[in-house]
Amino acid sequence: MLDYQAILEEIHQSLNSVKDTGEVASYIPELANVPKEKFGIHLQLITGENFSVGDASEKLSIQSISKVLSLTKAFQLVGNHLWERMDVEPSGNPFNHLSLLELENGIPRNPLINSGAIVVADILLSNLKNPKKDFLDFVRNLAHDNTISFNEKVAESERLNGYNNYAAANLLKSYGNLHNNVEDVLDFYFHQCSIMMDCRQLTNAFFVYANKGKCLKNIQHLTASQVKRINAIMLTCGFYDEAGEFAFEVGLPGKSGVGGGIVALLPHCFTIATWAPALNPQGNSYLGMKALEHFTTKTKLSIF
Amino acid sequence: MLDYQAILEEIHQSLNSVKDTGEVASYIPELANVPKEKFGIHLQLITGENFSVGDASEKLSIQSISKVLSLTKAFQLVGNHLWERMDVEPSGNPFNHLSLLELENGIPRNPLINSGAIVVADILLSNLKNPKKDFLDFVRNLAHDNTISFNEKVAESERLNGYNNYAAANLLKSYGNLHNNVEDVLDFYFHQCSIMMDCRQLTNAFFVYANKGKCLKNIQHLTASQVKRINAIMLTCGFYDEAGEFAFEVGLPGKSGVGGGIVALLPHCFTIATWAPALNPQGNSYLGMKALEHFTTKTKLSIF
Amino acid sequence: MLDYQAILEEIHQSLNSVKDTGEVASYIPELANVPKEKFGIHLQLITGENFSVGDASEKLSIQSISKVLSLTKAFQLVGNHLWERMDVEPSGNPFNHLSLLELENGIPRNPLINSGAIVVADILLSNLKNPKKDFLDFVRNLAHDNTISFNEKVAESERLNGYNNYAAANLLKSYGNLHNNVEDVLDFYFHQCSIMMDCRQLTNAFFVYANKGKCLKNIQHLTASQVKRINAIMLTCGFYDEAGEFAFEVGLPGKSGVGGGIVALLPHCFTIATWAPALNPQGNSYLGMKALEHFTTKTKLSIF
Amino acid sequence: MLDYQAILEEIHQSLNSVKDTGEVASYIPELANVPKEKFGIHLQLITGENFSVGDASEKLSIQSISKVLSLTKAFQLVGNHLWERMDVEPSGNPFNHLSLLELENGIPRNPLINSGAIVVADILLSNLKNPKKDFLDFVRNLAHDNTISFNEKVAESERLNGYNNYAAANLLKSYGNLHNNVEDVLDFYFHQCSIMMDCRQLTNAFFVYANKGKCLKNIQHLTASQVKRINAIMLTCGFYDEAGEFAFEVGLPGKSGVGGGIVALLPHCFTIATWAPALNPQGNSYLGMKALEHFTTKTKLSIF
């Protein structure tokens, strides 16, 4: 068997020497102030074994990683009706581009770009009694961890600087693809993005996608078919306009966030989360991508 | 000399029989409820003579026609600094498309598309003491008519349905090309669009563009060079993605609005305004365009 | 163990009743004349077992499926230098769109869209002694079958009707991303697309992608890392602007062609080829997509 | 009356000191070798008076200026059927972009962008007995000058380097909007672009557009309505993606070419041609634009 701990440590070591790793997201102070040198990996096997290096137990702002979790909840609630309001195709465009949305009459390309995730948030708002509380409970249940919370300061900062998201939400509204009002939907959306989790908690929450829909405690949250579909969306759409590159270099379904986190998984085998706050120009964690590339190369474990 | 009254009457007659004239704008009740059969033309010669047919003295919602007036005020106030925040090229795209704005990093193509006019509104907000009052006074002075006013119901309806304008304003804000806050800028913008004027008042207000910058009362509001530039922008950008068509068929600088109004002019010669509420698919008054085409064909008067 | 033969027969049966299956490609007579009701599936397990239904041993024009084979040969020849001349991102656009190519200065989005495959053909022309013969030999070796040939009539028809490909090749040339002359590159390209293979031969040729780079006869043609990369490209880019849909519904790396063929594979497990000439609006075999969706649903075998 | 000779000399003087004037077109040696410092202006009044400065009697490659002349001939031949195959809207895009053509299904935006001019060439090929000879005769008649000729070396160089035009012609062909074969159409097109004329000859040929359709010898070539339309197209589409800028700064219908020539006119008043080979980034003569801006500012003569 592979010595996973040794592999993680080797990766940690080899990436330590990389100098130019990109820039920490700077559009809100809460992200700008995160030290650039933070680095952590957590690996959880389907068998329950866990391996860690670096800052894997320090909380990070999960940001866009939350889009997979909100998609999951919405998929549970409305099933394939989801696809009446968004598509499942890669966008081939940077993550914040409204052009495609306009060209395609308000139907987002997929649920993992901002406009798609805003429609997912709208669906949750329409279908949950206490949207923010219920969604947080859902994430806590998935990860079996009641310490997971929103970061209100982050959510508020996002609200004050989220002009591009306001533009997207209003454009969706102009096409009739937002049923609740803009402020309410974005309040929910900014909260979901503000959730704080550490790398281990991320692997806990994403266990369900590696385990045919069953979470850590063996509760069935999704059907095998739903899991297959969510994993497919992560693979083709999880990394903004670098989805092809991530599939090509790493070969795992996964999702990144501007907080510098990435979580990825191999069905029936493992989930893995990395954290390194400096981002490449496409908005993905530079060292996180490198770490996962090393990991799948060293272990020869990928979906391909 | 041409018998202008006879020509206007001929045009009125010949257009009376046109059946399929398009649809009245329906996104707000105040526009949707305007009777489709309204039709008026007012012609004012540079010499001061006036000719009218039909409903030329009934007030209409000037809507986008106001963009020329706000551009004029902003040009007075900040001169060529205007062009640091917008371009003067035709957009080649429908009037509400955000795609170009995104592609060109928040610099609107020209001041007569929505995003450009929103930046102009932002400039007026930054430079006028009492923006709405001062702008209304400016329009009243230009037209020498103190009865011109905002329609508060129209402005409020626009605000409640203006998702696309909210999207544009927020996108501009995300690029740093909106200095005041979104709500304030759009409040001003929706008010300027809500101004009610009849065809004669429109020719009064636009007299300045036919008369080298001097208004009806011979006051110099703009330099000859500024007038030339505003007329050029009207010609290349005044009719959404039908600017080429209007130049080709009519051959006059002009501006249309979704209220069904069009105002056009021949420098040193005349200003003319038409009103017919039903719009073609490009958002321009169907019969208004036809009337002006007949007028320049019959009179052989055009800039070309 | 699964009764694969029974599963294939069930699928055959159930799809028999589908009435509206799309249209056979009609831009050249050689494709237009293929009977719409042709239908075949061939499944080959990594263990060497084979299962068939329908017209699986009848030859079809492989068309764009050949792009995976030419990519493979070019990857062998020039390694990662390939990526200096094209990217690996999904295009998010129909297969023949030149817009993206122009926007991105002559660098094709990926090797499986037409413009990318034309650059791959250019690379083969620069690196093979007898390009057409050598490439055909390569395909024959991969499939261990010397009966595989070009269809000269198809190649000639493509040449006479291939205006869009001529447009793409000339556009590439204008950006300096075509080193040989347009006629020579397209002659090669039209020949590679004209190759005739039956479903079994397709699974033979694609065995290498399911078997870590080793072909049927256990010869290593590609490294495991190269196989991973080609499979990733098939998954993210193999179905024009329906790549997301195919990943979502089927969950296998694969490639389609306008001849109605699809070949797909599960690493370490199987390769499968389907043939049904009628295409959906995106240019993929309508029944072939359905058949593969049924297959992965029934067997629960997918990469996700 | 204005002292036109003095004005032209003042302009010549003042532009002499401009240092950074852009780059001479370099894609073919025949253009690249033209000395950057060439500069000429020729002005012809409707009354027949002529004024010149600099190299106004030296021949230049008229290039895209020929598009107005071919449009004129095609308009004569097929009238408004022209508009079944192209539009009259400004493109809002650089002159060689195929994206819009693809987006709009092979209908060029206007006759003055490359793709539109190629369709015009196709129409001439279908309607003239000896296309190249007949067109040259037409230009000679318009200018009353039999010394005007093609430059075969320029035409041949264009052919060898015209990949972008080959791309456009093939794309048009793929949409069925080219009736003759690609080689024949482009042979004609490259010849029309290769015509050599000096500034005075250009003002002679364009006299017709300032004189209601009558040429220098008072022969009626076009109706007043056709002249109006061609002038409108020049104004909205004559300067690639700088049409708005030219209208704004200069305020005259006109057309530029990559040979550094510009010809412009004021209806009922004058035609003017400038030559300065160095181009700005949009492909228009840098000093030619400046010269015309000075001219209309000093004389206060513009259509606006």
Side-chain angles (χ1 to χ4, degrees), chain B residues 89 92 109 229 235 244 249, chain D residues 89 92 109 229 235 245 249:
Chain B
E89 292 300 327
R109 267 295 171 98
R229 280 158 166 74
L235 191 91
E249 298 289 357
Chain D
E89 292 300 328
R109 266 296 170 99
R229 281 160 167 72
L235 192 90
E245 184 73 14
E249 298 288 358

Side-chain angles (χ1 to χ4, degrees), chain C residues 51-301:
Chain C
F51 308 90
S52 267
V53 291
D55 307 310
S57 59
E58 200 167 316
K59 302 242 172 162
L60 60 121
S61 183
I62 70 168
Q63 294 291 329
S64 290
I65 296 172
S66 69
K67 292 172 183 172
V68 178
L69 303 170
S70 61
L71 164 64
T72 301
K73 187 68 200 165
F75 209 1
Q76 271 190 354
L77 288 167
V78 304
N80 286 319
H81 289 294
L82 255 182
W83 318 118
E84 296 159 11
R85 295 182 57 188
M86 68 194 69
D87 204 346
V88 295
E89 292 301 327
S91 70
N93 263 310
F95 60 104
N96 58 354
H97 270 208
L98 304 182
S99 307
L100 260 184
L101 184 58
E102 192 170 45
L103 196 64
E104 296 173 357
N105 299 312
I107 299 298
R109 267 297 170 97
N110 64 64
L112 300 186
I113 52 172
N114 289 4
S115 57
I118 290 170
V119 173
V120 168
D122 183 54
I123 290 169
L124 293 182
L125 229 66
S126 297
N127 287 280
L128 295 175
K129 211 164 172 180
N130 303 300
K132 284 190 280 191
K133 182 182 174 304
D134 294 354
F135 179 68
L136 187 59
D137 285 347
F138 169 72
V139 176
R140 288 172 168 182
N141 281 337
L142 219 53
H144 290 280
D145 191 327
N146 285 322
T147 69
I148 296 171
S149 318
F150 298 127
N151 182 327
E152 294 289 344
K153 267 176 80 174
V154 167
E156 177 62 7
S157 270
E158 299 277 5
R159 195 181 67 78
L160 293 173
N161 295 279
Y163 300 115
N164 200 284
N165 287 316
Y166 274 95
N170 276 290
L171 187 54
L172 288 164
K173 191 87 184 169
S174 79
Y175 283 109
N177 200 8
L178 207 74
H179 300 174
N180 297 282
N181 82 46
V182 166
E183 283 299 340
D184 293 345
V185 175
L186 289 182
D187 177 60
F188 180 89
Y189 178 69
F190 293 140
H191 273 85
Q192 81 171 62
C193 288
S194 82
I195 288 176
M196 303 296 292
M197 290 169 81
D198 65 26
C199 288
R200 174 154 192 174
Q201 290 170 324
L202 283 169
T203 64
N204 288 345
F206 276 67
F207 194 86
V208 72
Y209 309 110
N211 195 33
K212 305 181 194 178
K214 289 186 186 164
C215 69
L216 280 174
K217 296 280 158 91
N218 231 25
I219 301 160
Q220 190 87 36
H221 290 263
L222 294 164
T223 66
S225 158
Q226 287 175 322
V227 165
K228 164 178 149 183
R229 279 159 168 73
I230 293 175
N231 284 341
I233 293 171
M234 277 196 255
L235 192 91
T236 54
C237 315
F239 290 81
Y240 311 125
D241 52 342
E242 235 183 0
E245 185 73 15
F246 191 80
F248 183 82
E249 299 288 357
V250 177
L252 298 175
K255 184 71 200 86
S256 63
V258 287
I262 299 178
V263 56
L265 61 110
L266 183 60
H268 324 307
C269 196
F270 66 78
T271 60
I272 188 167
T274 61
W275 181 39
L279 308 177
N280 67 18
Q282 285 76 33
N284 297 310
S285 168
Y286 182 82
L287 288 183
M289 302 251 313
K290 284 265 172 257
L292 291 168
E293 182 193 340
H294 286 350
F295 182 77
T296 58
T297 303
K298 280 174 199 287
T299 60
K300 300 209 165 111
L301 294 170

Side-chain angles (χ1 to χ4, degrees), chain A residues 85 121-127 173 177-185, chain B residues 163:
Chain A
R85 294 180 59 188
D122 183 54
I123 291 169
L124 293 182
L125 229 66
S126 297
N127 287 280
K173 191 87 185 170
N177 200 7
L178 207 74
H179 300 175
N180 297 282
N181 81 48
V182 166
E183 283 297 341
D184 293 345
V185 175
Chain B
Y163 300 116

Side-chain angles (χ1 to χ4, degrees), chain A:
Chain A
M1 194 190 135
L2 290 163
D3 181 346
Y4 289 108
Q5 188 62 37
I7 290 173
L8 296 192
E9 277 161 17
E10 259 174 64
I11 294 170
H12 192 183
Q13 207 80 40
S14 76
L15 293 180
N16 245 337
S17 58
V18 178
K19 294 278 174 265
D20 192 14
T21 60
E23 294 299 325
V24 173
S26 60
Y27 66 100
I28 59 169
E30 287 74 13
L31 293 180
N33 294 336
V34 175
K36 196 174 167 172
E37 61 280 5
K38 291 289 175 191
F39 183 84
I41 312 179
H42 190 92
L43 169 71
Q44 178 159 192
L45 303 187
I46 201 84
T47 56
E49 284 167 283
N50 285 275
F51 308 90
S52 267
V53 291
D55 308 309
S57 59
E58 200 168 315
K59 302 242 171 163
L60 60 122
S61 183
I62 69 168
Q63 295 290 329
S64 290
I65 296 173
S66 70
K67 292 171 182 171
V68 178
L69 303 170
S70 61
L71 165 64
T72 300
K73 187 68 201 167
F75 209 1
Q76 272 189 352
L77 288 166
V78 305
N80 287 318
H81 289 295
L82 254 181
W83 317 118
E84 296 160 11
R85 294 180 59 188
M86 69 195 70
D87 204 346
V88 295
E89 293 300 328
S91 71
N93 262 311
F95 62 103
N96 57 354
H97 271 205
L98 304 182
S99 307
L100 260 183
L101 184 59
E102 191 171 45
L103 196 65
E104 295 173 357
N105 299 312
I107 300 298
R109 266 297 170 97
N110 64 65
L112 300 186
I113 52 172
N114 288 4
S115 57
I118 291 170
V119 173
V120 168
D122 183 54
I123 291 169
L124 293 182
L125 229 66
S126 297
N127 287 280
L128 295 175
K129 212 164 173 178
N130 303 299
K132 285 190 278 190
K133 182 184 173 304
D134 294 355
F135 179 69
L136 186 59
D137 285 347
F138 169 72
V139 176
R140 287 171 168 182
N141 281 337
L142 221 51
H144 290 284
D145 190 328
N146 284 324
T147 69
I148 296 171
S149 318
F150 299 126
N151 181 327
E152 293 289 344
K153 267 176 79 174
V154 168
E156 177 63 8
S157 270
E158 299 277 4
R159 195 180 67 76
L160 292 173
N161 294 278
Y163 300 116
N164 200 284
N165 288 314
Y166 274 95
N170 276 291
L171 187 55
L172 288 164
K173 191 87 185 170
S174 79
Y175 283 109
N177 200 7
L178 207 74
H179 300 175
N180 297 282
N181 81 48
V182 166
E183 283 297 341
D184 293 345
V185 175
L186 289 182
D187 177 59
F188 179 89
Y189 177 69
F190 293 140
H191 274 84
Q192 82 172 60
C193 289
S194 82
I195 288 176
M196 303 296 291
M197 290 169 81
D198 65 26
C199 289
R200 174 156 193 172
Q201 289 170 325
L202 283 169
T203 65
N204 289 344
F206 276 67
F207 194 86
V208 72
Y209 309 110
N211 194 34
K212 305 181 193 177
K214 289 186 186 164
C215 68
L216 280 174
K217 297 279 159 92
N218 230 24
I219 301 160
Q220 191 86 38
H221 290 263
L222 294 163
T223 67
S225 158
Q226 288 174 321
V227 165
K228 163 177 149 183
R229 280 160 166 73
I230 293 176
N231 285 341
I233 293 171
M234 276 196 255
L235 192 90
T236 53
C237 315
F239 290 81
Y240 312 126
D241 53 341
E242 237 182 359
E245 185 72 15
F246 192 79
F248 182 82
E249 299 288 357
V250 176
L252 298 175
K255 185 74 199 85
S256 64
V258 288
I262 299 179
V263 56
L265 61 111
L266 183 62
H268 323 307
C269 197
F270 66 79
T271 60
I272 187 168
T274 61
W275 181 38
L279 308 177
N280 67 17
Q282 285 76 33
N284 297 311
S285 168
Y286 182 82
L287 289 182
M289 302 249 317
K290 284 265 172 254
L292 291 167
E293 183 193 339
H294 287 350
F295 182 77
T296 58
T297 303
K298 280 172 198 288
T299 59
K300 302 210 164 109
L301 294 170
S302 92
I303 59 171
F304 302 118

Side-chain angles (χ1 to χ4, degrees), chain D residues 231-297:
Chain D
N231 285 341
I233 293 171
M234 277 196 255
L235 192 90
T236 54
C237 315
F239 290 80
Y240 311 126
D241 52 341
E242 237 182 356
E245 184 73 14
F246 191 80
F248 182 82
E249 298 288 358
V250 178
L252 298 174
K255 183 73 200 85
S256 64
V258 287
I262 299 179
V263 56
L265 61 111
L266 182 62
H268 323 308
C269 197
F270 65 79
T271 60
I272 188 168
T274 60
W275 181 38
L279 309 176
N280 67 17
Q282 285 76 33
N284 297 311
S285 169
Y286 182 82
L287 288 183
M289 303 248 316
K290 284 266 172 254
L292 292 168
E293 183 193 340
H294 287 350
F295 183 78
T296 58
T297 303

